[in-house]
Amino acid sequence: MPKLWNETIEEHRRAVRETVLETTAVLVTERGLRSVTMSKIAEESGIGRATLYKYFPDVESIMTAWHEEQIAGHLRELAALRDGPGGAGERLRAVLEAYAFIQQRRNGHGPELGALLHQGEHVAGAEQHLHRFLRELLAEGAQSGDIRDDVSPDELATYCLHALAAAGALPSKAAVHRLVSVTVTGLGPATG
């Protein structure tokens, strides 16, 4: 097949996949995971059921693929903040704040959807990646004197991730900002 034809087919497949993912996410948010059928997804996406089944075997696999894309986007957002301008302390605060707001939004999945989405290798891999790059940023901050150096960056990264997971239960942006401030204060250079 000519190259242009292959590129057109691949672009079409990406567009169909993206439409299916977004349509399913909207339907599940509006109706709940158990109320959404493959037939309804096909209808709302404007494709045939047979075509939909060529892409995904069931609703759960669609939501898992959607979640993988969401996680990848979150990691790109956090990496851009980590690599942005400013000192290590400023960049760390920006990363931690963005992460806390991601955690707050995550709480909106509900228990059934949350149980489906937050299992599997894609979540564990993302958590390891996030821990690793947070550890590196903390080490940079310790070297510059912005971050305490009496606790290992690995332990501090674990502290940050666990502390900020609490943002999932917070009711407001102001509460998330306060949690980030408390967390960052705990990272400050040791005194005494």
Side-chain angles (χ1 to χ4, degrees):
M1 278 188 243
K3 184 178 178 183
L4 182 60
W5 179 254
N6 283 338
E7 289 173 3
T8 303
I9 290 172
E10 280 306 309
E11 185 58 38
H12 172 74
R13 287 182 181 144
R14 276 191 295 275
V16 169
R17 185 176 192 279
E18 190 62 34
T19 298
V20 167
L21 294 179
E22 290 305 316
T23 299
T24 305
V26 168
L27 288 170
V28 167
T29 300
E30 291 173 351
R31 301 171 184 207
L33 182 62
R34 299 285 172 229
S35 299
V36 177
T37 64
M38 293 293 275
S39 295
K40 187 64 175 171
I41 294 167
E43 177 186 328
E44 293 291 321
S45 297
I47 61 173
R49 276 185 356 144
T51 300
L52 178 59
Y53 280 105
K54 287 181 184 178
Y55 288 84
F56 298 100
D58 54 33
V59 176
E60 288 81 5
S61 65
I62 297 171
M63 288 306 299
T64 299
W66 173 83
H67 193 242
E68 288 172 358
E69 287 193 7
Q70 296 299 302
I71 287 175
H74 293 325
L75 289 175
R76 284 190 300 274
E77 173 190 356
L78 295 171
L81 292 168
R82 176 201 60 196
D83 298 337
E90 295 168 297
R91 291 181 287 123
L92 177 63
R93 183 178 188 98
V95 167
L96 295 179
E97 189 166 279
Y99 177 74
F101 280 111
I102 290 167
Q103 291 301 304
Q104 188 186 38
R105 288 189 307 269
R106 170 184 169 177
N107 193 40
H109 292 324
E112 181 183 43
L113 186 56
L116 170 69
L117 296 180
H118 296 118
Q119 63 182 350
E121 290 182 30
H122 73 282
V123 174
E127 289 171 352
Q128 290 171 355
H129 179 78
L130 178 59
H131 189 278
R132 187 173 42 255
F133 93 63
L134 193 54
R135 181 183 63 224
E136 292 166 2
L137 186 54
L138 287 158
E140 182 185 337
Q143 286 179 343
S144 69
D146 292 333
I147 304 298
R148 63 185 318 136
D149 62 3
D150 62 330
V151 178
S152 77
D154 190 58
E155 290 176 22
L156 291 176
T158 300
Y159 157 73
C160 291
L161 295 174
H162 284 280
L164 296 175
L170 296 178
S172 68
K173 288 183 177 185
V176 173
H177 285 293
R178 286 190 297 273
L179 178 64
V180 172
S181 290
V182 168
T183 304
V184 169
T185 298
L187 298 172
T191 58

